[in-house]
Amino acid sequence: MIARPPLPRPLAALPLMLALLLSLLLGLPLGAPVGLPVDPAPAHGATVNRADQSAAGVLLPPPDAAWDYQIGGARPVPDPAQVVVRDRRDPAAGAYPVCYVNGFQTQPDERAFWARRPALVLRDGRGRPVLDSAWGEQLLDLRTPAKRQRLARVVDRWLGRCAQDGFVGAEIDNLDSWTRSRGLVQRRHATAYARLLTAAAHRHGLAVAQKNASALLQQRLGFDFAVVEECARWEECRRFADAFGGRVFVVEYRASDWQRACHQVGDRVAVLLRDRDVTPSGPYRTC
């Protein structure tokens, strides 16, 4: 190897001077590697690596992590659980907290709220609210862009409060409400509205979960992970695992379905057995 003579001191400093000048011109912090993106600040003070962030820059839940579903009432987070889902009015701490928001239907205890917004509730030909009879919830009217925008503003406020209260993710429930609408709401209305809600969640720094609705797995709606009920019962577990990898959180309400889900996807995703009303005193079993 032929030794190269040292550069004159002014020339030796030239690359550093050019890098500093380029940093100033591009608005990069001094000392940042030129040409590389600067990592965004971790959400809620968490230390994360790139694998834990989505394309939207939000903090994702840990894959294949034990979890607890507490939307029927809060209780202490079980020791193995790294992820917990709670109602938006009941913040959690000590785990990756996911904020439950009923974005497509009304909560039974919020009838007065929606009574002041009657035009946003889906109604049949006689003007009566269309109900999800299993839960006594009224469906929201997603059929026009104007109504979707008004509804999205309501949910946006809820999501903003979730972020303020320390939630890191959001589960927006009843994405599949169009299937219970008696043909009044179409799939395209639901997907257009879903895109508004996922964008709102991301604006508030929240990762957002697709809830059920396997028919929409091929759509690009902006969801980052999934919360799925009874996928073993309906033979959908593998479809969600294929779509979201390890970031699928399954809850089964029957022991036989829980055992089947554990057998089918328990080595890939988190599977939980709870009671249907997810009460604080209800069962908690993981694979």
Side-chain angles (χ1 to χ4, degrees):
M1 178 181 292
I2 301 175
R4 296 179 183 271
L7 290 172
R9 187 173 297 274
L11 293 179
L14 184 58
L16 178 60
M17 295 171 62
L18 290 174
L20 292 174
L21 179 60
L22 186 56
S23 295
L24 292 173
L25 290 174
L26 295 178
L28 293 170
L30 294 181
V34 176
L36 297 177
V38 179
D39 284 341
H44 301 286
T47 301
V48 300
N49 58 46
R50 282 302 209 181
D52 295 323
Q53 289 182 317
S54 75
V58 294
L59 181 64
L60 297 173
D64 193 18
W67 73 300
D68 195 14
Y69 205 35
Q70 299 187 2
I71 62 172
R75 64 183 180 185
V77 179
D79 286 338
Q82 296 175 264
V83 176
V84 62
V85 180
R86 281 188 180 172
D87 186 83
R88 61 186 174 85
R89 295 162 293 189
D90 197 5
Y96 181 103
V98 177
C99 183
Y100 172 88
V101 174
N102 198 345
F104 289 73
Q105 297 181 179
T106 68
Q107 290 291 85
D109 61 350
E110 293 182 343
R111 289 287 180 89
F113 177 88
W114 293 106
R116 297 192 297 271
R117 298 160 177 83
L120 299 182
V121 173
L122 184 67
R123 299 180 185 277
D124 62 18
R126 298 183 179 181
R128 298 173 300 190
V130 177
L131 291 179
D132 176 350
S133 58
W135 301 101
E137 298 175 358
Q138 298 174 350
L139 274 63
L140 299 178
D141 192 346
L142 318 177
R143 291 176 295 178
T144 69
K147 289 188 177 184
R148 292 194 292 270
Q149 289 287 346
R150 288 182 62 189
L151 287 165
R153 285 195 290 271
V154 171
V155 179
D156 180 83
R157 291 196 294 271
W158 293 344
L159 293 170
R161 183 58 184 267
C162 290
Q164 292 173 15
D165 287 342
F167 285 103
V168 184
E171 173 205 331
I172 301 176
D173 200 8
N174 291 305
L175 173 62
D176 59 353
S177 69
W178 93 88
T179 65
R180 297 181 287 278
S181 72
R182 306 177 192 173
L184 296 173
V185 177
Q186 299 179 22
R187 179 186 301 197
R188 61 185 176 87
H189 301 142
T191 56
Y193 180 53
R195 290 187 180 96
L196 294 178
L197 300 190
T198 57
H202 290 156
R203 282 196 302 273
H204 292 294
L206 299 169
V208 59
Q210 175 168 334
K211 177 69 173 292
N212 302 331
S214 63
L216 302 182
L217 282 174
Q218 301 305 314
Q219 303 273 346
R220 295 188 176 183
L221 303 179
F223 292 109
D224 305 296
F225 63 106
V227 174
V228 188
E229 294 175 299
E230 299 188 291
C231 65
R233 181 179 181 182
W234 306 112
E235 300 295 338
E236 297 176 337
C237 294
R238 290 191 179 94
R239 294 181 62 189
F240 279 96
D242 290 344
F244 290 99
R247 292 186 170 91
V248 177
F249 299 89
V250 173
V251 59
E252 297 289 349
Y253 302 124
R254 303 190 306 188
S256 59
D257 295 330
W258 171 73
Q259 291 171 348
R260 187 158 61 253
C262 288
H263 175 73
Q264 291 176 350
V265 294
D267 60 340
R268 300 171 61 189
V269 305
V271 180
L272 174 67
L273 175 66
R274 294 285 274 118
D275 58 304
R276 182 169 292 277
D277 291 326
V278 284
T279 56
S281 59
Y284 174 83
R285 295 180 66 183
T286 60
C287 296

